[in-house]
Amino acid sequence: MARGIARAVSFGGRATTGWCSYRRVTVAVCLGNLVAALLVLRSLTAPASFAPAAPNRGEVVQYTEEQIRRVEESIRIRRESEPVELVRAVKKLRKKFDQEVKRREELPLVLKQKVSYDIVRRLHDLEDNSSLAQQREVVESWRVEKLKDIKVASTRNQSILDLSSEETRMLKRALEFNWHMLMEDIGLWIPEEVTHTVQDDKPENEQEEEEIVAGPPLSPQCNAELHTDYDGAAVRWGLTHHKESAADCCQACLDQAKNAKPGELKCNIWVYCPSEFGCFSPDKYEHKHQECWLKQADHPKLNFKDKYSEPYRDAHPTAPVVVPWMSGVISA
């Protein structure tokens, strides 16, 4: 009895193992995946099947007044947003450009070289210091002469510059209608001469505006002079002596002269740098804003006044046009 049951179990186990092989399991899984993919694909395409059918060509579609109003409003907004003026301008420029392209005939390279050599030879006859106006006049006179030569040669059945009749016709058209384009093609460009004239439109009796000096007003005893640099023996070096304003610098000169000990130099000249960008000096130092130099001279002499001369600026390229310092000689 036990043996029979064991055989049955053994037989059933082998049958079960044979039916559940790896190949059959793989095929079953693939079939399941295929069925699942078909179901997903159907679910994705199902809404399209329920979409309303497009009307036939012969069928009249009825729109509501609200839909018609929205369509008309969208058309109106689209038309208003169109750059009509810009489109017209672009069309006009394109038309003009197309006309110029049609009129322009490309000259052969040999002909361009002959024209350029002839013009350069004519320009070489000018002096080295010739003006731009003279150069333009020479080039224009060459153009006029060549047009006359072409007309004369055409009446006599002759050629100029050893050109054929076709090249002569092309050159004549270029000189008459496409002269500026021809100049561009041969690389000839003469800039416009700019003449700068200063218009003095101020009334004769009008006084010039006084420059504003930062800080408190200066005492008449300071005798302040703008754009001025006085010479003298240094009582106090300005490199290490800064003051907030020109008035403070003048007061420092007055105080030093008042408190000077016997035998010491007494300040009677003050020199101040009011410029935020510093002040120029021909020495090796960098003179900064608010430098206050205290000097002494029995007979004060000017170093610079108002503007630096052109020869001085030629010798000192970093020198500005206007003297940046301000100075004063203390009155007794």
Side-chain angles (χ1 to χ4, degrees), residues 58 275-276 286:
S275 175
E276 296 181 357
E286 180 182 358

Side-chain angles (χ1 to χ4, degrees), residues 127-236:
E127 298 179 357
D128 295 337
N129 58 351
S130 60
S131 62
L132 297 176
Q134 291 175 336
Q135 296 177 15
R136 283 197 301 273
E137 184 178 355
V138 168
V139 174
E140 181 62 21
S141 64
W142 178 91
R143 185 182 75 90
V144 174
E145 290 177 6
K146 282 296 173 281
L147 283 174
K148 289 181 179 179
D149 294 342
I150 291 174
K151 292 179 181 179
V152 173
S154 62
T155 57
R156 299 178 181 178
N157 295 326
Q158 298 176 351
S159 63
I160 62 170
L161 297 176
D162 298 330
L163 303 178
S164 63
S165 58
E166 179 63 20
E167 291 177 341
T168 304
R169 184 193 65 80
M170 295 173 63
L171 178 59
K172 180 176 179 294
R173 187 173 182 82
L175 293 177
E176 286 182 341
F177 304 106
N178 301 324
W179 172 235
H180 295 288
M181 296 181 183
L182 177 59
M183 292 178 65
E184 292 179 2
D185 290 342
I186 64 177
L188 178 61
W189 178 74
I190 302 176
E192 294 292 334
E193 190 171 16
V194 179
T195 56
H196 178 69
T197 57
V198 179
Q199 300 292 337
D200 188 6
D201 54 356
K202 292 183 178 180
E204 296 181 358
N205 298 327
E206 183 180 2
Q207 297 180 354
E208 295 185 0
E209 296 181 359
E210 296 183 358
E211 294 188 33
I212 299 175
V213 180
L218 285 90
S219 171
Q221 191 178 4
C222 297
N223 297 319
E225 299 180 47
L226 295 174
H227 309 298
T228 306
D229 180 14
Y230 275 99
D231 191 13
V235 177
R236 185 74 183 271

Side-chain angles (χ1 to χ4, degrees), residues 36-139:
L38 291 175
L39 291 176
V40 171
L41 181 62
R42 182 180 179 184
S43 64
L44 293 175
T45 58
S49 62
F50 293 102
N56 297 327
R57 293 184 179 180
E59 184 179 353
V60 178
V61 179
Q62 298 292 335
Y63 294 100
T64 62
E65 293 183 358
E66 180 65 19
Q67 291 175 335
I68 295 174
R69 186 186 64 80
R70 290 183 178 181
V71 172
E72 291 177 349
E73 185 177 1
S74 64
I75 295 173
R76 179 184 59 81
I77 294 174
R78 186 172 66 253
R79 288 178 178 176
E80 290 179 355
S81 62
E82 290 181 355
V84 180
E85 296 296 332
L86 179 60
V87 172
R88 290 178 182 174
V90 171
K91 289 182 179 178
K92 187 176 180 180
L93 290 175
R94 185 177 297 173
K95 184 178 179 181
K96 185 177 180 180
F97 178 75
D98 293 340
Q99 291 176 352
E100 291 182 356
V101 170
K102 290 180 180 178
R103 286 192 311 172
R104 181 173 183 174
E105 292 183 273
E106 186 68 23
L107 297 180
L109 179 60
V110 177
L111 180 55
K112 291 180 182 178
Q113 291 177 348
K114 290 180 179 180
V115 171
S116 61
Y117 291 157
D118 203 12
I119 294 176
V120 170
R121 192 181 303 110
R122 185 71 63 89
L123 290 173
H124 280 169
D125 295 337
L126 290 174
E127 298 179 357
D128 295 337
N129 58 351
S130 60
S131 62
L132 297 176
Q134 291 175 336
Q135 296 177 15
R136 283 197 301 273
E137 184 178 355
V138 168
V139 174

